[in-house]
Every structure is written in C-alpha cells, then in structure tokens.
Amino acid sequence: MIIDEKNIGLLSKTAEPDERALRAILKEAAKGKGLGLEEASSLLAVRDAAMLYELFKAAGELKERVFGKRIVLFAPLYLSNFCTNGCEYCGFRAQNKDVARRALSIDEAVAEAKALEEMGFKRVLLVTGEDPRWGLKYIVECVRAIYEKTGMRIVHVNAPPMDTASLRELKAAEAGVYQAFQETYHRPTYELMHPSGRKKDFDFRLSVMDRAMEAGFGDVGIGSLLGLYDYRFDALASIAHSQHLFDTFGAHAHTISIPRLRPAEAGLKDIPWQLEDDELKKVVAVYRLAVPSAGIVASTRESAPFRSELIKIGATQLSAASKTNPGGYKGEKTLEQFSTNDHRSLEEVIKSVVDNGLLPSLCTTCYRVGRTGHDFTDKATSGEMEKFCQANAVLTLKEYLLDYCVNGSKEAVARAIEEGLNEVKDAGIKKALIEKLKELEEGKRDLYF
C-alpha cells in the first residue's frame, strides 16, 4: 500500500496541539531525521499566531542546517499543450476546443532552451501534456537535442505516467529528475476532477514513482495541487508517499512541489478548497520538518513578495521567468496551462534572493556526479549536503556574474558571493573554493564539488 487513505483521512482531522506538545514535536524535528504522520498532522492543525511563528522559525532554521542559504533556480520549458485528458482545472484539457494547440518541433525546443540559457539558466524542466502523438519518443528526442545543442547541464522532465520500460528509455536519455504530480490523493475528488483520458486511472498515476525508481531514476518529484481538496489531507498524503519511497527504495522524494490552484482558460471558475497564505506557509514548514532532504519547490503561481516569505521558512527551489505555454520564451502567445503571478526576470529573482540574505544557486552538480537517491537522502539527513550546496552555489553565482549579470545587480551579486565564501565552514572546501573561483575568472567554466 503506497498510502493509507483511511488513516490519512482520520489524521487530517487532528486537533490543534497545545504549546507543550508543539515544542516537543519541534524539538524532535530539529534532529533533522523527519517526522511521522501523527506529528505532521499536529503541526498542520496549528492556528495560533504565536505557535505558527515558532513553527515557521523551526522550519527555516532546519532548512539552513540541511542546505545552507542556497536557493536553487530553474525554469520550466513547455513542449506541447496537446492533451487527451479532461482535467477540470487545466487549460490544456481536451474539452478546451476553441484554442490553438501547439507542439514544438525538436529545433524549436532547442531554441527555447537556448533562450533560457541566454538568461543564465543551466537547468531546465521539460513539461508536456498527455497525447500519444507527442509521447515518449518525442520527449526523448527533445532531451537529447537540448543536451547536444545547448549548454544546459541538466534536463529534468515533468511528463505523464509511463510503464517501467518507457521510463528506462527516458532515463537512458540522461533525464535528471522525473516529476508527475498526483494532483490530489483524495480518491473521490480525483475521480471528479479527472473524468476522461488516461489520467482517470488514480492507481496508475500513484504508482508511477515506484516504476520510475525501478527504472533507474534516483530522484523523483511529487506534489499535490493544493486547493482541489482539504490541504491537510493532501499534505499528509504527500508526506506518506515520500515515506513509502524511502521505505521501499531508501530515498525520499527529491522534490515536493506546492502548486496552489490558479485560474486557467476554460478551467474551474471557483477554487473548491481555497488555501490562505498562512495555510500554504504551514504546508511548506511541515514538509520541511517532516521530509528534511526534500527540495520544496515554489512556482510562479505565487506572488514575488510571498515567494520571498516561503524561502525563509523552508522552500529551497524557485522557478523564475516562467512561461507556461509552448514557445513562450520566444514570444509566442499560445495556450497557457495556468496563469502566473510572478513575472520577474531571472536577474530580478536573483537580486531578490540576495536582498533576502540568501544565496541564489544555478547548481546542477548532484545529478551529474551520482549524488542522488539514497546517497542524497543520507547526506542531507546527516548534515553533509550543506557544505556541497553552499560551495556550489557560490561557484554558479560567480559564473553568472561573469557571463550574464548586468550592471543593475552586479554589486549585490558580488557581495553575495563574498558573503557565501566567508560562510563556508569546511576549511578544505573553502581553500579549494578560492582556487576554483580564480579558475572561473581565468576562463574555466562548469566547476563544482
């Protein structure tokens, strides 16, 4: 059993803890080994403002112990908005007939990746609707072409669930993280929201992460579309899903995304379970404390000021300059999957992260050196990842400064590099980092620990 839906339903009704119980849970969470569903359910029940403050503070402190001050930046690249599914909330839904559909050619996908590269991105997340005409073969060709014809260092994939053989083929193309969101773990709501198409099959979607890890993906990304159902149920189910992966494969979910339901063309007019800002912050904090090794991803569905709050309390990854339509980075006006709420450029997001006292990172190292799966989870929970994350963030930010940064933010970025270097605790890494920074100034690139 991947998740126990009945038990999660009961736990989602847990009463708010008192201050003594809260502090006992936070003390346990501070060890960095994660929390069980019972403890997580208690934290999700917190409403008192003073106790929320303690919860958010504890999550922010644990984030820095695990990953340092680094905040990873990436961009999605939408390949196709053709889809045979009938998801009630999505602009790509098959029933949305009176819109122009678009699937990028391989060369156009490369051009989009190059446009992102010119901004300074080194990692990209390919996203596509579910249509057999643009299925596995097409996605694999896009992955390989982007590696061959651009400077992208890692290509992740958010694609519909596949069988194990197909996932092996995708992994053989050197895709990094495989993502597929369950949307909601509440089966009756799932069935209501997915009335047609292959996505109707709740269990096939739920089990895809097992197949992905069996196929060789050490790193997988999960998430709930918050707002489809009670956020406490879906947050607990996401934690349970990650725990299942750890119990089965020795690795937690590499990322847990926190998309909040947004308007989409011809999609839902009303949000079934509206999530307030403090409730989303609570989800982020509980994910951080319950699954310390996970990257928590905040997308451009959220506003710029609110994303600045999220990275202080547990979020560790931000998309930036995002377009949610095929061809968007080359200026095309095609059908979007959903509307975005943060329209800043990569440079503006980097400057904002720096202004918040954190360290922007364009790092792609772990996927390329095999620091994935069980090894990544083990290093993160033992406190070993922070030294790699901090040093690699400094290196990638230095490369960005040298190759992409414009005058408006150069001073702030240079200051962040200096402060990041000074905060490296490991003497050996610090000495080597100073040498690598000199090598970057001399023209070398793609240096890492």
Side-chain angles (χ1 to χ4, degrees), residues 218-357:
D219 293 339
V220 297
I222 64 174
S224 302
L225 182 52
L226 299 166
L228 289 179
Y229 186 62
D230 183 345
Y231 76 91
R232 290 170 65 180
F233 181 97
D234 275 326
L236 288 171
S238 297
I239 294 167
H241 195 174
S242 183
Q243 184 63 54
H244 162 79
L245 296 174
F246 180 78
D247 292 342
T248 308
F249 302 100
H252 274 286
H254 187 69
T255 59
I256 305 178
S257 294
I258 55 162
R260 183 159 49 166
L261 190 58
R262 292 275 297 164
E265 188 167 342
L268 293 173
K269 291 182 172 55
D270 299 309
I271 308 301
W273 291 75
Q274 184 69 53
L275 207 71
E276 301 302 326
D277 285 356
D278 266 358
E279 291 172 325
L280 185 57
K281 288 171 67 175
K282 188 162 51 173
V283 170
V284 169
V286 174
Y287 280 164
R288 172 55 55 221
L289 297 174
V291 192
S293 63
I296 298 174
V297 186
S299 78
T300 52
R301 292 170 182 262
E302 304 301 333
S303 70
F306 189 55
R307 296 214 296 167
S308 290
E309 293 184 47
L310 295 178
I311 60 177
K312 294 175 183 177
I313 63 166
T316 52
Q317 296 191 22
L318 296 177
S319 54
S322 300
K323 304 293 183 183
T324 67
N325 60 306
Y329 298 110
K330 300 298 287 184
E332 291 192 36
K333 303 295 183 182
T334 55
L335 175 65
E336 296 180 323
Q337 187 181 33
F338 58 87
S339 58
T340 58
N341 208 5
D342 182 352
H343 308 288
R344 295 174 297 170
S345 66
L346 174 60
E347 180 192 0
E348 289 171 318
V349 174
I350 285 177
K351 177 68 162 50
S352 172
V353 172
V354 169
D355 289 344
N356 278 292

Side-chain angles (χ1 to χ4, degrees), residues 414-427:
R415 183 178 67 252
I417 292 168
E418 182 177 355
E419 291 173 356
L421 172 62
N422 291 336
E423 289 170 352
V424 173
K425 303 179 183 69
D426 186 291

